[in-house]
Amino acid sequence: MKTFKKTLLTSLAVLFIVVSAFATGQNDDVREFTIKGTDNMKFDVSLIEASPGETIRITLETVSNMPPQAMAHNIAVVDLDVDVDAFVMASMSARDTEYIAPEYADKVIAHTKMISGGETSVIEFTMPDTPGDYEFVCTFPGHYYGGMKGIIRVN
């Protein structure tokens, strides 16, 4: 009887830990990256290596003392077949939708909110199974052309 109670208590403890992890969104299979966007219109990370179907979490931090109207950042990860120049041009005027052009919404794998100095935004998503270089960009007007871009290489 003591062995049964001990086994039952151990099983309940393990079940509680697993349920708690799912309830809080913790997942050990998620790789995390922090990317900083700065006033010089660059990301401090420009290459991320990922596996097909891998889930990743990106935390974007904006480091700036400028007002949000002048300096804000986001990260938009786009599909392989996207004309990134056209996407960015269309998105620069999409202020009401976080500078993500609605006509490209189905081509965006994930995107953060547009954030200003001292703020953070987190996205978690699963990379496609197709190997290739998936671009991530800032769509705030002028930032992509200033060099604010990177690649998530799936191989």
Side-chain angles (χ1 to χ4, degrees):
M1 185 70 160
K2 284 184 180 181
T3 304
F4 174 75
K5 285 182 181 179
K6 186 176 180 179
T7 303
L8 180 61
L9 288 175
T10 303
S11 298
L12 288 173
V14 169
L15 180 62
F16 176 76
I17 291 168
V18 170
V19 169
S20 295
F22 280 108
T24 59
Q26 296 174 354
N27 184 346
D28 291 339
D29 293 336
V30 176
R31 275 200 311 142
E32 296 187 44
F33 301 90
T34 299
I35 299 176
K36 292 181 182 174
T38 61
D39 288 343
N40 68 354
M41 293 188 291
K42 301 283 186 226
F43 291 124
D44 69 337
V45 174
S46 59
L47 177 64
I48 294 173
E49 299 276 347
S51 299
E54 181 177 11
T55 301
I56 62 175
R57 181 180 303 126
I58 295 176
T59 300
L60 172 64
E61 297 176 359
T62 295
V63 181
S64 177
N65 292 317
M66 298 176 74
Q69 302 84 353
M71 189 63 63
H73 302 304
N74 71 348
I75 290 178
V77 182
V78 296
D79 251 332
L80 286 177
D81 62 346
V82 172
D83 177 340
V84 178
D85 285 329
F87 165 67
V88 169
M89 288 300 291
S91 293
M92 286 192 304
S93 62
R95 183 177 179 185
D96 293 340
T97 55
E98 299 277 334
Y99 291 99
I100 302 294
E103 62 269 30
Y104 283 90
D106 63 334
K107 298 292 187 181
V108 176
I109 295 169
H111 69 87
T112 65
K113 297 186 312 181
M114 188 64 66
I115 59 173
S116 58
E119 296 180 319
T120 61
S121 183
V122 179
I123 51 175
E124 184 175 311
F125 57 97
T126 302
M127 290 306 301
D129 291 328
T130 305
D133 287 348
Y134 294 81
E135 292 191 58
F136 64 89
V137 300
C138 177
T139 58
F140 192 84
H143 288 198
Y144 170 76
Y145 295 107
M148 206 159 195
K149 55 189 169 184
I151 293 173
I152 301 176
R153 180 163 292 142
V154 174
N155 53 24

